[in-house]
Amino acid sequence: MQHGKYRFIVGFLALPLGLYALFVVWPFIQSIYYSFTDWTGLSPEFKMVGLDNYRRMLDDEIFWKSLQHSLIFALVLPLVTISLALFFSFMINVGGRKRRGGPVVTGVRGSSFYKIVYFFPQVLSIAIVALLFAFAYNPDSGAINSILRGIGLGSVQPLWLGDPSLALWAVMAVLVWSTVGFFVVLFSAGMASIPADLYEAALLDGAGRASTFFRITLPLLWDTVQSGWVYMGILALGAESFAVVQIMTTGPGGPDYSTTVMVLYVYQKAFRDGQAAYATTIGVALLVVTLAFAALVMRLGRRERLEY
Amino acid sequence: MKTTDTPAPVPAESGTPVAKTDTRGGPARKEKKEGGVLNVFSHGMLILWAFMVVMPLLWAVMTSFKDDSSIFNSPWALPDKLHFDNWSRAWTDANMSDYFLNTILVVAGSLIGTLVLGSMAAYVLARFDFPGNRFIYFLFIGGMSFPIMLALVPLFYVVNNMGLLNTIHGLILVYIAYSLPFTVFFLTAFFRTLPTSVAEAAFVDGASHSRTFFQIMLPMAKPGLISVGIFNFLGQWNQYMLPTVLNTDPDKRVLTQGLVQLAASQGYKGDWSGLFAGLVMAMIPVLVAYIIFQRQVVAGLTAGALK
């Protein structure tokens, strides 16, 4: 297999690698370089300013707000989403009652229906989901307040996205809504590979659902949960949170920057305010936060690997 | 994180999980201890979540058939009659047809490009030993975890300098570049699982490397290409951030962008019903595709998270 091997390798790699280097790697390296300049993005001229952008960032109140919100996103979203998804997928796959002659471990009735329906939001664009919920949250004519009125809670009519203390949570709820189904399916796939005799043994020993979950399912699923956690965190720090915050909250970024997140702030600085260099500086901070988050989850989540 | 040698896709199909071991029905009695309360609660939660997923979608469909005043006055009331004119207005006046066309062009181009280029790179990386192989592989894989927004600022100027800003083909090239990390990762693992003997035999028979690839390896890799293709289709169809930054020409907008712009400009002249019709229109293709290709979609997407 040696004949013409290198020519072939080069020929096959040139185009994909070239595209990737040009549009992904090169901009990525450039952005770190630009963070040490005073480039506006509007004119080609710039000069090196050392750490000025980083100093400015540390004094920037809005940067700190965006960092704080991004951290809330990265911590609360995976926690809520993954807990819900674990509960649902346990019920769907293991929580069912034994039916005569059926398998020992089974999901509740209608489990495949739930799995299909829960996954719906995942295939919709996050931009479309965000738009839909922006309407649903509308205080006067939106679906949510209208339901509240309908069930006799007419006095409770939150402003939702217009209320600085609620807006961030309202936005996060949308991301939970759109991602739970994905994790239900992911965890279901993981649970399907747990051997049934483990459950059988637990049942014989009289274990209830809760202890079955905490003693068997969760430990054996731990790897999947952990990578799901990192995945969700990266998502919550990146593109998905950009879309929901930019589309749903006024400003965008909410009243008094109450919902701004780092990724949105990068966008605004670069493409609205003409401060490209400063934007890349915040981008570098976002990179650091993302890597730190992933490292932290991997480290805290480290456990002895269970073989089965 | 799973390591790279996880054999490609197929997170086990889980319709009836763990159904292998059947029993003689011994341990059933113990379950009675579990109170009915817990059961009611659990089922209640499952049903409640199903409602919470379906209701907003139904609400959107319903609203898309109503006139503006009833949208505002009674959000949950059924439409007095079906206002199909909302749909036709959205399709023509609100340019939904153009957005659809743009999206189809961009996604078709980038999907084909991603699969061809991704499988070429993955094949070489999986099957050939050469200096720099590992380095290139990890260079690709690294792209999966860094925040895209960081690269977007200089990317804008790279694309601009090449004269590709606000063009369909420019968008296609960028989509391909950003889809490569996962595609290469996934397909490299897949090509490693394919038997080498067939390719070797073909080569001995005088087929060139590229002929071996296109006529033998690629057809063999079909299941992998389908999984990763669906994953990329959904990702590229739903893409919002890249077009928002790189594509500001109103005539070139893709679906997601076009809808957001419409909503921002007060649902083109306050036409909320038309906007809802547009929203629903944009949801239909992916929901239909999902229902038809349910298994592959799930396999493709869950494989995506196990990176």
Side-chain angles (χ1 to χ4, degrees), chain A residues 83-123:
Chain A
S83 309
L84 274 175
L86 275 172
F87 173 74
F88 291 140
S89 48
F90 183 75
M91 289 310 297
I92 287 175
N93 292 287
V94 188
R97 273 193 222 174
K98 166 138 181 44
R99 289 185 276 274
R100 186 169 293 275
V104 193
V105 189
T106 177
V108 296
R109 242 169 251 274
S111 55
S112 51
F113 165 77
Y114 288 126
K115 242 185 281 180
I116 294 174
V117 167
Y118 286 9
F119 203 74
F120 274 165
Q122 183 64 33
V123 297

Side-chain angles (χ1 to χ4, degrees), chain A residues 223-224 227 298 305, chain B residues 1-6 185 305-307:
Chain A
D223 272 359
T224 313
S227 49
M298 297 316 282
R305 211 191 176 83
Chain B
M1 293 264 153
K2 287 278 189 299
T3 42
T4 51
D5 51 7
T6 12
F185 162 72
L306 295 171
K307 50 188 168 195

Side-chain angles (χ1 to χ4, degrees), chain A residues 70-253:
Chain A
S70 280
L71 289 179
I72 295 177
F73 267 70
L75 298 175
V76 175
L77 272 178
L79 186 70
V80 175
T81 311
I82 288 178
S83 309
L84 274 175
L86 275 172
F87 173 74
F88 291 140
S89 48
F90 183 75
M91 289 310 297
I92 287 175
N93 292 287
V94 188
R97 273 193 222 174
K98 166 138 181 44
R99 289 185 276 274
R100 186 169 293 275
V104 193
V105 189
T106 177
V108 296
R109 242 169 251 274
S111 55
S112 51
F113 165 77
Y114 288 126
K115 242 185 281 180
I116 294 174
V117 167
Y118 286 9
F119 203 74
F120 274 165
Q122 183 64 33
V123 297
L124 298 175
S125 170
I126 190 68
I128 288 173
V129 170
L131 271 180
L132 178 62
F133 275 91
F135 292 120
Y137 277 129
N138 185 307
D140 306 318
S141 56
I144 296 174
N145 276 1
S146 162
I147 290 182
L148 289 178
R149 283 194 294 269
I151 58 175
L153 290 171
S155 54
V156 189
Q157 295 283 299
L159 290 174
W160 298 115
L161 299 170
D163 181 340
S165 58
L166 267 182
L168 189 69
W169 304 96
V171 166
M172 277 201 280
V174 173
L175 280 181
V176 172
W177 183 83
S178 77
T179 17
V180 162
F182 169 74
F183 286 100
V184 168
V185 170
L186 181 72
F187 294 153
S188 295
M191 285 180 192
S193 66
I194 296 175
D197 39 349
L198 287 175
Y199 286 114
E200 209 172 318
L203 277 174
L204 277 172
D205 291 344
R209 269 188 210 152
S211 52
T212 311
F213 175 76
F214 284 108
R215 301 281 175 79
I216 298 180
T217 309
L218 191 58
L220 291 177
L221 204 63
W222 192 251
D223 272 359
T224 313
V225 173
Q226 201 182 8
S227 49
W229 198 286
V230 174
Y231 178 81
M232 182 74 202
I234 291 177
L235 216 114
L237 287 168
E240 306 269 302
S241 68
F242 170 76
V244 278
V245 175
Q246 198 228 16
I247 294 168
M248 294 180 68
T249 66
T250 49

Side-chain angles (χ1 to χ4, degrees), chain B residues 92-129:
Chain B
T92 47
D93 302 354
N95 303 327
M96 283 300 290
S97 52
D98 296 344
Y99 302 150
F100 257 102
L101 186 66
N102 289 339
T103 310
I104 290 170
L105 286 177
V106 174
V107 173
S110 35
L111 192 58
I112 293 169
T114 305
L115 289 178
V116 171
L117 295 185
S119 56
M120 279 162 59
Y123 177 66
V124 169
L125 291 171
R127 284 307 181 88
F128 291 87
D129 210 11

